[in-house]
Amino acid sequence: MITIIGYIVLIIPLTTLTILKQRKKFSSNTDSISDDVFNNTLAKVENVFVLATKSEAGDLTASIVTFKQSASDDNVFFVVTGSDTERTANIAHNGVAAVTTWYDEKTGTRFSSKHVAASVIAADQVQATLQKHPEIKALGDNFNSHVIIQLTLDSALIESFRDQPIAVSF
């Protein structure tokens, strides 16, 4: 009789708590928190990332660039670069790229994405884009011989030293 009472008092509540904890762990909905997680990550990292592109021949190139996030769309970023750079030619050719940021020194938080639609904004479109997105002006003064690369992330992976990775879709 004491064994049965002990089982009911100790084992059943512990089992119930374990099940509830596991259910909470595996049922967390990343869609509802994705914007907050992504924006919190952006607030922690510098506005520098590695931009990887692929040439017509399939060769990969990577370069470190300064970016500016769009004021209206969380998943859109802008890079100002020379019109004659290899990254500009690669993006004009195939329209895809990949990015990764540095990690935050305290938490190790960073984001990366290999699902990036990229386009080159050149010539007369530059001024129209600057009018629509004045935040780009923080990346430079002279836009005469430069182009704007627009990067639109379809998804991103948020990683850190202490937390589980979180996939964010836009």
Side-chain angles (χ1 to χ4, degrees), residues 30-31 34-35 38 75 153-158 166-170:
T30 58
D31 291 340
S34 64
D35 289 343
F38 188 71
N75 65 323
L153 280 61
D154 293 330
S155 63
L157 182 65
I158 313 271
I166 299 172
V168 177
S169 295
F170 300 100

Side-chain angles (χ1 to χ4, degrees), residues 50-67:
V50 177
L51 174 63
T53 60
K54 186 168 74 168
S55 70
E56 289 183 52
D59 297 328
L60 298 175
T61 58
S63 50
I64 300 169
V65 295
T66 304
F67 69 87

Side-chain angles (χ1 to χ4, degrees), residues 114-166:
K114 61 181 181 176
H115 302 284
V116 181
S119 61
V120 176
I121 301 168
D124 58 338
Q125 296 175 332
V126 169
Q127 290 304 319
T129 302
L130 289 172
Q131 295 235 337
K132 186 176 179 183
H133 298 281
E135 62 271 15
I136 301 171
K137 293 178 183 176
L139 294 174
D141 297 335
N142 182 5
F143 293 92
N144 293 335
S145 62
H146 289 80
V147 297
I148 299 170
I149 296 175
Q150 180 175 329
L151 304 165
T152 306
L153 280 61
D154 293 330
S155 63
L157 182 65
I158 313 271
E159 301 171 290
S160 77
F161 295 149
R162 57 184 178 181
D163 299 323
Q164 293 293 321
I166 299 172

Side-chain angles (χ1 to χ4, degrees), residues 73-93:
D73 298 308
D74 289 344
N75 65 323
V76 176
F77 298 89
F78 299 101
V79 173
V80 175
T81 188
S83 57
D84 58 348
T85 62
E86 189 174 358
R87 75 179 75 91
T88 302
N90 292 347
I91 289 172
H93 170 70

